[in-house]
Amino acid sequence: MPTPIVQVYEIQNPEEARAMIAMGVDYVGSVITTLDARHDAVVRETVAVVRKMGAVSSLIPLYTDAEAIMDTISYYRPHIIHFCDRLQGPHDPAVDTAIGLQTMVKRRFPDIRITRSIPIGRHAGVQRQAILTLAARLEPVSDYFLTDTVIDGSPDTVDDRQPVAGFVGITGLTCDWSVAARLVAQSQIPVILAGGINPENVAEGIRQVSPFGVDSCTGTNVIADDGQPIRFKKDMTRVAALVRQAHRFAPV
């Protein structure tokens, strides 16, 4: 198995980006948190530094307005634009909207790759076929999938229970790895394993899922006194440990 790539998110300034790359992080992820504040000069410099250092930049916009997305890509010019809006299964009308948006991105920015988060619950065996069908619909307009954890609940309440309403991710919880492994086996595009990935579980996740790469956010953040991860503040020791564990799978 090729060495899995390591992606770390919530890197918002050039100094942290340089530190990530020096430790062996391959894909450096940043987040644009609001539509109104989508032009952030510091994040723009961060993306430029990642490109200059030969790593891969990935950018999440936490909004879905199509023209704002086009403007965001033009402003930052990341290697990858990453969509993580919550889709409620393969027949959700929002899936058609997502396909249309990703098609537009590919037409206007053929050099930009697209990551699409596939929401998977912690115990998603019953939903497995629906998840795989959703991914199959999105695959023609995606370059990567990222398996991320959605908090289980009824369709009427689940969005309100996500850390960021309407989006999937930063739960700190692992997704159902058996479903993630089926997605890897089915997909013709690379799959990145995310959802609660940290230095303690990354090696087992790689063993069970055989992904193209792994992604960490909350699992490598600084922990506050109340035991909760602090957003946008990385624990460099834990990042280094994550990279070390993932690189145990380097071919010999």
Side-chain angles (χ1 to χ4, degrees):
M1 181 176 71
T3 305
I5 66 96
V6 175
Q7 176 170 275
V8 175
Y9 254 106
E10 294 194 341
I11 307 304
Q12 305 294 103
N13 65 71
E15 292 74 23
E16 276 199 337
R18 292 187 184 96
M20 294 296 113
I21 296 167
M23 284 187 284
V25 173
D26 305 288
Y27 289 27
V28 178
S30 304
V31 183
I32 309 303
T33 56
T34 67
L35 185 151
D36 290 340
R38 65 184 181 274
H39 290 175
D40 186 316
V42 176
V43 174
R44 187 184 195 184
E45 183 183 355
T46 302
V47 171
V49 164
V50 173
R51 183 179 292 276
K52 184 176 181 180
M53 292 186 69
V56 175
S57 61
S58 185
L59 190 69
I60 289 177
L62 290 178
Y63 42 88
T64 57
D65 178 82
E67 287 308 317
I69 295 293
M70 304 305 135
D71 175 64
T72 298
I73 295 172
S74 294
Y75 182 78
Y76 292 97
R77 300 299 305 190
H79 292 100
I80 299 169
I81 191 78
H82 179 174
F83 297 115
C84 61
D85 42 306
R86 173 78 166 101
L87 301 175
Q88 302 274 8
H91 307 299
D92 181 356
V95 177
D96 292 327
T97 302
I99 291 171
L101 175 60
Q102 292 181 210
T103 300
M104 185 185 301
V105 170
K106 285 188 167 294
R107 184 173 65 248
R108 293 199 193 179
F109 301 97
D111 59 321
I112 301 292
R113 288 169 277 169
I114 295 174
T115 294
R116 165 54 67 175
S117 288
I118 301 297
I120 302 176
R122 298 192 71 193
H123 308 287
V126 174
Q127 294 84 31
R128 183 181 65 189
Q129 191 53 53
I131 292 166
L132 296 176
T133 301
L134 170 65
R137 290 198 64 196
L138 291 160
E139 185 171 312
V141 291
S142 303
D143 298 289
Y144 303 93
F145 286 143
L146 182 140
T147 70
D148 214 342
T149 310
V150 64
I151 297 174
D152 295 316
S154 71
D156 294 334
T157 62
V158 69
D159 275 351
D160 291 336
R161 300 174 60 201
Q162 305 308 311
V164 179
F167 295 85
V168 62
I170 62 169
T171 64
L173 305 171
T174 55
C175 69
D176 189 323
W177 286 351
S178 67
V179 176
R182 288 295 298 271
L183 180 64
V184 169
Q186 167 184 291
S187 301
Q188 300 300 307
I189 62 175
V191 178
I192 297 171
L193 178 65
I197 298 298
N198 57 49
E200 292 73 34
N201 65 17
V202 64
E204 187 59 28
I206 292 170
R207 287 192 190 96
Q208 291 193 31
V209 179
S210 298
F212 165 77
V214 291
D215 169 276
S216 179
C217 185
T218 57
T220 45
N221 280 2
V222 171
I223 303 299
D225 292 340
D226 63 0
Q228 297 301 308
I230 302 173
R231 291 205 65 190
F232 304 107
K233 189 171 184 180
K234 306 311 293 186
D235 182 325
M236 299 301 180
T237 300
R238 288 183 64 75
V239 172
L242 179 87
V243 172
R244 191 163 55 247
Q245 289 297 316
H247 285 179
R248 288 171 53 194
F249 293 84
V252 295

